[in-house]
Amino acid sequence: MTQEVVRLSRQDARRIAVRAQLLDSPRPTDVMAVLRRLAIVQVDLTAAVAPSADVVLWSRLGSDGYRSADLDELLGSGQVVEHQLRLRPAEDLRLFTAAMRDWPGLDATDWQLAQAEWVDTNEECRRDILELLEREGPLPAKAFPDTTVVPWRSSGWNDNRNVTMLVQLMEERGDIAVADREGRERLWDLAERVHPDDPPVPAQEARGIRARRWLEALGITRAKAPASFAEGTEVGESGVAAVVEGVRGTWRVDEAQLDRLGMPFEGRTAVLSPIDRLVFDRKRMEDLFEFDYQLEMYKPAAKRRWGYWAMPILHGDTLVGKVDATSDHDAGVLRVAAVHQDEPFSGAVQAAVHRELADLAQFLGLGLAGADR
């Protein structure tokens, strides 16, 4: 039987995406509940304003509902773990344990098989790292000996970063895990000391659960994730097939969000991290929100249109502009260089953006400077 395809307007699709990411009103109130709903929060320690994970959680919960110490406490208690540069509820690791055990897996690509062969060739170095951690962990990667017999080779900037690449692959295969951080540096320990001792979910079942969880987190997305995404975030046949007016191709939509389309939508204004999941998939962002945006931190200053770490502005179900801001801790202020308006803001939108920036400054423990620009 052919499945019926749901037809959505762009506004419907945007509202589904906003609601799924907890960016509508009222705000959520529980940090752990937000983390469970989002499934993953990417780790990026760029300090132009604040680490991205803090901005992501603040944009949902506000300064009354979230302190950066809350995340530290959840990590310290083991309720949240860092895995492959993503923060996850610890109970979700059971969805990856089977894949770690079977790494690189029966459906491994040629590249993954080559990585596994390289690890096997450098088994002595891998064992040296494990033995050192057994005795002295947690430790930073710089403490590990480079006893590789075959160096890492690639066409990119990772050439000869032997220990760095081996550590990354040892995390993928479940040998080691991030136990803590010292500033920007990860501290590694044996995975058995860090990961919860939960029974693994069989690989095929786990893949299906991850697909459903990811669709719930996004609300609407393409069935297949962009190839540049480091993690398998494809949703496959989860949810319901849909087409969006004015956009090519088909989408998958969370059925629970379809049920909410008949309910009044109450939006709010939010200032987002540049790698917030609402905007992280730039093609999805362009298709649904028709929003012109790039992260410009890697561009020369003279070629930036919006700023080094410009933060997208959501108003209701529309992305309406960008904030170019920097935390100046020496001066004690969140310094706003510009608020770029894609279309001229009404007085109400200007006031709402100012309130969000004032709340961000409060969250950071800073004053606010230049928000009227």
Side-chain angles (χ1 to χ4, degrees):
M1 180 181 294
T2 303
Q3 186 182 42
E4 182 179 353
V5 177
V6 174
R7 298 189 176 277
L8 301 171
S9 67
R10 262 204 178 100
Q11 184 178 70
D12 287 338
R14 291 196 302 268
R15 289 182 173 184
I16 286 171
V18 169
R19 279 171 160 160
Q21 280 283 296
L22 303 177
L23 287 164
D24 59 337
S25 190
R27 290 181 186 269
T29 58
D30 182 84
V31 180
M32 196 65 213
V34 170
L35 286 163
R36 288 191 174 106
R37 177 51 178 270
L38 298 183
I40 61 172
V41 175
Q42 188 159 330
V43 176
D44 187 295
L45 301 180
T46 302
V49 173
S52 180
D54 280 332
V55 177
V56 167
L57 293 171
W58 162 79
S59 65
R60 274 75 180 169
L61 294 147
S63 65
D64 290 338
Y66 177 64
R67 306 164 302 134
S68 58
D70 295 337
L71 184 55
D72 293 337
E73 290 168 7
L74 289 170
L75 285 161
S77 69
Q79 294 179 73
V80 173
V81 295
E82 180 180 333
H83 176 63
Q84 295 186 333
L85 292 175
R86 291 164 177 82
L87 303 178
R88 313 173 190 274
E91 65 262 25
D92 281 2
L93 278 179
R94 66 195 179 93
L95 303 175
F96 297 88
T97 310
M100 292 179 198
R101 181 192 59 207
D102 299 337
W103 186 87
L106 295 176
D107 56 353
T109 64
D110 289 344
W111 172 240
Q112 290 169 324
L113 291 171
Q115 289 178 317
E117 183 179 353
W118 182 77
V119 174
D120 288 343
T121 302
N122 291 296
E123 174 66 9
E124 184 176 344
C125 185
R126 186 181 78 88
R127 289 191 178 279
D128 288 342
I129 291 172
L130 293 174
E131 289 171 6
L132 183 61
L133 289 175
E134 176 72 34
R135 295 193 309 270
E136 302 180 23
L139 293 170
K142 65 184 179 184
F144 300 152
D146 184 355
T147 54
T148 54
V149 295
V150 175
W152 179 267
R153 289 280 185 259
S154 75
S155 59
W157 61 282
N158 286 322
D159 273 0
N160 291 316
R161 299 183 70 200
N162 303 328
V163 171
T164 298
M165 299 310 299
L166 185 55
V167 164
Q168 176 182 309
L169 296 173
M170 288 175 70
E171 183 188 26
E172 286 185 23
R173 57 181 279 159
D175 289 335
I176 62 176
V178 178
D180 201 354
R181 279 186 178 263
E182 283 184 351
R184 300 176 63 86
E185 193 160 28
R186 289 174 288 181
L187 298 182
W188 298 94
D189 205 346
L190 301 178
E192 62 199 51
R193 295 174 177 167
V194 179
H195 291 169
D197 188 22
D198 295 332
V201 177
Q204 191 64 30
E205 181 184 349
R207 190 176 292 116
I209 294 171
R210 291 200 305 268
R212 291 191 294 275
R213 288 282 312 280
W214 191 235
L215 184 58
E216 289 170 1
L218 293 179
I220 179 170
T221 189
R222 302 286 188 179
K224 188 172 183 179
S228 60
F229 285 16
E231 176 182 323
T233 50
E234 299 176 1
V235 301
E237 297 301 306
S238 296
V240 175
V243 293
V244 178
E245 181 183 2
V247 182
R248 284 184 169 186
T250 59
W251 300 73
R252 305 301 299 187
V253 184
D254 180 19
E255 291 177 87
Q257 293 298 336
L258 288 176
D259 293 341
R260 298 181 67 187
L261 282 179
M263 302 166 59
F265 175 81
E266 187 176 353
R268 60 182 175 88
T269 301
V271 176
L272 306 177
S273 162
I275 55 175
D276 192 288
R277 289 292 154 174
L278 191 74
V279 297
F280 186 80
D281 180 344
R282 305 298 196 227
K283 182 65 168 64
R284 172 179 178 267
M285 175 195 74
E286 292 168 4
D287 284 343
L288 300 185
F289 291 88
E290 300 176 278
F291 186 56
D292 184 15
Y293 178 77
Q294 291 180 336
L295 179 58
E296 299 180 313
M297 61 190 294
Y298 301 111
K299 287 186 176 182
K303 294 187 176 181
R304 294 176 191 145
R305 289 183 288 172
W306 306 302
Y308 175 84
W309 207 69
M311 297 181 288
I313 302 168
L314 175 72
H315 181 71
D317 59 24
T318 308
L319 291 164
V320 296
K322 303 92 178 168
V323 174
D324 180 9
T326 307
S327 290
D328 186 341
H329 291 279
D330 290 338
V333 295
L334 175 65
R335 201 175 300 283
V336 178
V339 176
H340 300 283
Q341 305 177 23
D342 286 9
E343 298 290 341
F345 290 176
S346 67
V349 174
Q350 287 181 329
V353 172
H354 186 278
R355 284 195 299 272
E356 284 302 294
L357 291 174
D359 192 72
L360 177 57
Q362 180 174 319
F363 164 70
L364 296 170
L366 301 172
L368 184 61
D372 57 335
R373 295 185 62 179

